[in-house]
Amino acid sequence: MPSDDAQYYELGAEIHDTKANTDLPIDKVWPNRQFTAKLVNPANRRKMTVIIVGTGLAGGAAAASLGEAGYNVENFCYQDSARRAHSIAAQGGINAAKDYKNDNDSVYRLFYDTVKGGDYRARETNVYRLAEVSAKIIDQCVAQGVPFAREYGGLLDNRSFGGVQVERTFYARGQTGQQLLIGAYQALSRQVAAGTVKMHTRHEMMEIIVKDGHARGIVTRDMVTGKIESWTADAVILATGGYGNVFFLSTNAMGCNATADWRAFRKGAYFANPCYTQIHPTCIPVHGDNQSKLTLMSESLRNDGRIWVPKKAEDCAKDPRQIPEEDRDYYLERIYPSFGNLVPRDIASRQAKNMCDEGRGVGPEVKEIGADGKEHLVRRGVYLDFSEAISRLGKAGVSAKYGNLFDMYKQITADDPYEVPMRIYPAVHYTMGGLWVDYDLQSSIPGLFVAGEANFSDHGANRLGASALMQGLADGYFVLPNTVNDYLAGNHNGKLPDDDPAVTEAVTAVKKRIATLIDVHGTRTVDSFHKELGHIMWEYCGMARTEEGLKLAVGKIRALREEFWRDVKVTGINEDLNQTLERAGRVADFFELGELMCIDALHRRESCGGHFRVEYQTPEGEALRRDDEYLYVAAWEFKGDGVKPVLHKEPLVYKAIELKQRSYK
């Protein structure tokens, strides 16, 4: 630990995952865990209750699966319907190692590509299991009626995604997440009708109830009436998505937040690798100061679209159709000939930024504050061009594959991508960090399980495209039903009474926090604070990070958080629909999370995946890992307000994969 880091954090004891038997060959680890995990017989399952927060692919699939198994499930979401979970936004596809294209794919290759894509910062046992169950996911979804695209012979079709050289991505045009969620929703609805699952919409989780060190329930706020309620059970599962909205502008839905994970962190659950955030290269560029979110154009477009910028800065203001072929720089194809436009997201994003930093970006000039503190005009965009694909496939062929994405782009920008190249630029998208979990997906709080994007386990420092849907459904359909039972077999204590001290303490804390927010009576809006926080995060903990910038960011965040609690304006009352109050609570958590993200990025003095420290790069400008010092998961423990967090390291051991520097050239 560098001496100057002592002001930011303390070192704690090393931690390990004890649930996976790593003495076995990697393909035997999951079957062994399934066999050694304790079982709960069907008659006893009816006596047990599991709370699941979230109804996306991970939460919805888990609720449907555990309900089908006979457990009593209480399922919560803040949306008005389970079908509005953010999983619907994942458009491009879902990976699975079925080798339908006969191009030498395999479970091991999917495992290898995922670990390599994550820049060797994921736990290999979890990733191998993900690859192992991927084929079952496709079979399950087909049985549910998910309308995957099919080729001429009737087999399911596949396409390529970034970071791989095989075609393993199953898709439903440009709306794969939506169709998969409808499949999970059908299974969930069946259990709701059967009475094993009780659905609670428009309920936001505000606190977790911990008794004798075990997770026993949650506290929610009814978002329509403001009613604060406690719910207790034998185990709790969080499947609440990622925290990209800490940056304010991201591809996430406006409602996406980190409160569930953060409340668990404050109650003792370790938060792992918070600095690992993904910048997606294929987003519609920012177009104004009043914009509230960014729109993702699916990575699937990189199958047929070619990315380029003008070779000469003086051509950047021209109509792209007037720039001859010889004056175009297809920079990804030039720098990475083996992978071309399908390099992983972190690499494609950094290179897009590099092109714009060189003065060869396209689109309107936007104001930016440079490293010198002065305002500059910069073009932040590169072209994604389909002219070659239209010549090869015809307009109808391109429309059949990407039509709804093209329509969406035209509606937002008023440009027709069949006629003019799309303009894209990187934006915050997915978060690889999340609550620390073991092989069973159980957090450091016994009885608290975490699934999907809310945990850290499968993607390392960068997620490959089409792996989010895979992880969500793997966790929900195939992992949790085989691991939660091991905990429940030895921990069946039933529900807690309403007057239990653990329950009343949690409820009181929620009510006090809400009252404090409403009673500030400040002058600044919640969104103004959120925007300022987002600017700090993007500027200093975004695509490029430096030691000086991160230290500056921590100070700025702390000062802004103090001002928030002194001057935030929360109108209305609790006992009513109050979206300002909802946003205030979420932004308050984002302040604390943002600070931890910067501290995590500061302590990790290397570059890997989406974490790019300017001081650590190869002569070619690629990420420079330092395996001798940072081959571990950084799991952070909360010790109290105003107290330095504690860093616990989980060493990463690779037995089935050789550690090497990533190369996509």
Side-chain angles (χ1 to χ4, degrees):
M1 177 179 176
S3 58
D4 56 340
D5 280 11
Q7 62 181 303
Y8 297 105
Y9 65 91
E10 295 179 356
L11 279 178
E14 195 170 273
I15 60 173
H16 299 271
D17 168 33
T18 59
K19 301 290 178 59
N21 185 351
T22 53
D23 292 333
L24 297 171
I26 198 160
D27 61 336
K28 299 292 191 293
V29 176
W30 179 231
N32 173 262
R33 181 57 189 145
Q34 287 176 287
F35 181 73
T36 57
K38 302 186 189 78
L39 301 178
V40 178
N41 83 55
N44 285 340
R45 293 175 204 160
R46 294 192 291 270
K47 305 171 187 175
M48 300 181 181
T49 302
V50 178
I51 287 172
I52 300 177
V53 186
T55 58
L57 290 185
S65 300
L66 294 176
E68 181 73 40
Y71 294 105
N72 297 297
V73 177
E74 303 278 357
N75 200 185
F76 297 83
C77 68
Y78 66 77
Q79 297 91 346
D80 55 3
S81 166
R83 281 183 56 181
R84 293 180 65 85
H86 192 57
S87 298
I88 65 167
Q91 304 156 329
I94 177 171
N95 289 329
K98 290 180 91 65
D99 197 29
Y100 278 6
K101 292 292 187 178
N102 197 27
D103 56 0
N104 204 20
D105 198 11
S106 64
V107 167
Y108 187 86
R109 190 177 296 280
L110 173 53
F111 160 61
Y112 174 82
D113 286 343
T114 305
V115 173
K116 177 185 176 184
D119 218 352
Y120 302 90
R121 289 296 179 263
R123 188 192 289 149
E124 70 172 13
T125 50
N126 289 64
V127 180
Y128 191 89
R129 176 176 62 192
L130 179 64
E132 207 171 2
V133 304
S134 64
K136 293 182 181 179
I137 297 170
I138 304 303
D139 296 339
Q140 170 110 347
C141 293
V142 169
Q144 291 174 337
V146 172
F148 286 119
R150 294 180 182 268
E151 59 182 19
Y152 176 76
L155 289 176
L156 300 184
D157 197 15
N158 292 114
R159 57 188 176 198
S160 297
F161 256 63
V164 303
Q165 292 179 301
V166 298
E167 293 181 85
R168 65 161 69 101
T169 304
F170 295 78
Y171 65 98
R173 208 178 181 197
Q175 50 187 249
T176 314
Q178 180 175 348
Q179 297 300 332
L180 291 172
L181 187 61
I182 289 172
Y185 178 69
Q186 290 175 156
L188 178 59
S189 297
R190 180 174 182 270
Q191 296 309 311
V192 172
T196 62
V197 177
K198 291 186 176 67
M199 180 60 60
H200 306 276
T201 60
R202 307 296 289 158
H203 281 69
E204 182 166 23
M205 176 185 149
M206 306 293 287
E207 186 58 275
I208 186 166
I209 298 170
V210 176
K211 183 176 176 63
D212 299 330
H214 289 243
R216 297 294 302 280
I218 63 172
V219 178
T220 63
R221 178 180 180 271
D222 185 314
M223 297 165 69
V224 177
T225 68
K227 184 179 181 182
I228 308 300
E229 296 175 272
S230 61
W231 312 81
T232 58
D234 296 290
V236 177
I237 297 171
L238 300 184
T240 50
Y243 49 90
N245 275 352
V246 70
F247 290 87
F248 187 71
L249 283 180
S250 81
T251 67
N252 287 253
M254 288 296 291
C256 292
N257 63 85
T259 289
D261 270 13
W262 199 249
R263 296 293 103 194
F265 170 70
R266 291 177 62 93
K267 279 293 183 78
Y270 294 167
F271 206 112
N273 300 335
C275 78
Y276 288 164
T277 52
Q278 179 164 82
I279 314 295
H280 198 295
T282 319
C283 299
I284 298 177
V286 176
H287 60 72
D289 293 337
N290 296 320
Q291 199 167 345
S292 58
K293 78 175 298 293
L294 297 172
T295 303
L296 169 69
M297 301 307 296
S298 170
E299 183 174 313
S300 62
L301 294 171
R302 291 201 274 151
N303 271 283
D304 290 299
R306 300 180 71 195
I307 296 171
W308 63 276
V309 293
K311 289 182 178 178
K312 296 177 289 188
E314 54 265 33
D315 286 344
C316 291
K318 290 183 179 179
D319 184 318
R321 294 167 293 186
Q322 305 304 315
I323 302 175
E325 191 72 16
E326 62 269 19
D327 290 337
R328 300 179 178 188
D329 181 7
Y330 295 93
Y331 58 89
L332 291 178
E333 298 173 34
R334 169 174 58 84
I335 302 171
Y336 308 100
S338 292
F339 284 75
N341 295 300
L342 286 171
V343 292
R345 292 173 175 178
D346 60 311
I347 291 174
S349 294
R350 275 198 297 278
Q351 291 298 350
K353 181 180 185 296
N354 290 342
M355 297 302 117
C356 296
D357 288 347
E358 287 178 13
R360 294 195 288 143
V362 300
E365 292 182 319
V366 294
K367 295 177 182 178
E368 282 189 8
I369 305 297
D372 56 3
K374 298 179 181 178
E375 192 172 87
H376 301 268
L377 290 174
V378 185
R379 300 183 195 274
R380 290 293 178 191
V382 300
Y383 289 126
L384 179 61
D385 194 335
F386 282 84
S387 56
E388 187 273 336
I390 292 171
S391 299
R392 174 168 44 88
L393 302 171
K395 183 176 178 179
V398 172
S399 177
K401 296 174 78 171
Y402 310 113
N404 64 313
L405 299 172
F406 276 47
D407 292 343
M408 181 170 69
Y409 182 88
K410 185 176 181 180
Q411 285 183 340
I412 292 171
T413 66
D415 287 336
D416 185 351
Y418 293 107
E419 303 293 334
V420 184
M422 291 182 179
R423 283 189 300 108
I424 57 170
Y425 192 69
V428 172
H429 180 52
Y430 189 90
T431 51
M432 285 76 65
L435 292 183
W436 182 90
V437 292
D438 62 17
Y439 193 59
D440 284 0
L441 303 187
Q442 185 171 216
S443 73
S444 51
I445 300 176
L448 178 66
F449 295 79
V450 192
E453 191 179 357
N455 74 35
F456 88 100
S457 65
D458 291 359
H459 306 297
N462 173 64
R463 178 176 67 80
L464 291 183
S467 288
L469 301 180
M470 177 173 61
Q471 185 202 356
L473 290 179
D475 288 356
Y477 282 141
F478 298 107
V479 179
L480 286 171
N482 285 284
T483 60
V484 172
N485 47 274
D486 182 75
Y487 173 79
L488 291 175
N491 295 276
H492 172 36
N493 298 304
K495 295 184 178 183
L496 295 171
D498 290 343
D499 60 354
D500 187 279
V503 176
T504 56
E505 178 193 349
V507 170
T508 301
V510 170
K511 290 180 178 179
K512 181 180 178 182
R513 181 177 170 84
I514 289 172
T516 301
L517 283 167
I518 292 175
D519 290 344
V520 173
H521 300 303
T523 61
R524 282 190 63 178
T525 65
V526 175
D527 279 358
S528 73
F529 280 107
H530 195 180
K531 284 182 180 180
E532 188 171 345
L533 172 65
H535 178 77
I536 294 168
M537 295 301 297
W538 178 251
E539 190 71 24
Y540 301 109
C541 197
M543 293 182 66
R545 301 148 183 200
T546 66
E547 180 164 341
E548 180 185 7
L550 290 164
K551 289 179 177 178
L552 187 63
V554 171
K556 285 177 174 288
I557 293 169
R558 287 174 177 172
L560 189 62
R561 183 173 68 234
E562 288 181 10
E563 184 183 349
F564 173 87
W565 285 104
R566 191 174 62 245
D567 196 31
V568 70
K569 182 178 183 179
V570 179
T571 55
I573 60 174
N574 173 61
E575 292 74 23
D576 199 353
L577 177 65
N578 190 338
Q579 292 184 309
T580 303
L581 175 60
E582 294 164 18
R583 290 199 298 272
R586 297 166 186 172
V587 172
D589 290 332
F590 280 146
F591 278 120
E592 298 177 16
L593 173 56
E595 181 180 331
L596 185 66
M597 290 168 66
C598 292
I599 291 173
D600 187 38
L602 176 64
H603 110 275
R604 190 171 283 277
R605 288 174 167 82
E606 66 166 351
S607 292
C608 54
H611 169 61
F612 192 75
R613 283 286 297 268
V614 174
E615 304 94 331
Y616 305 99
Q617 53 184 303
T618 67
E620 296 81 29
E622 304 290 354
L624 181 63
R625 290 199 329 266
R626 300 176 66 198
D627 295 336
D628 55 331
E629 290 193 50
Y630 294 99
L631 191 61
Y632 59 77
V633 175
W636 297 89
E637 180 184 5
F638 177 75
K639 300 300 286 186
D641 290 315
V643 180
K644 289 179 288 189
V646 173
L647 170 62
H648 299 276
K649 300 178 182 180
E650 181 203 335
L652 289 169
V653 180
Y654 291 102
K655 295 183 177 180
I657 279 186
E658 178 188 357
L659 269 171
K660 58 178 71 171
Q661 202 68 31
R662 277 196 315 177
S663 174
Y664 292 93
K665 296 185 176 182

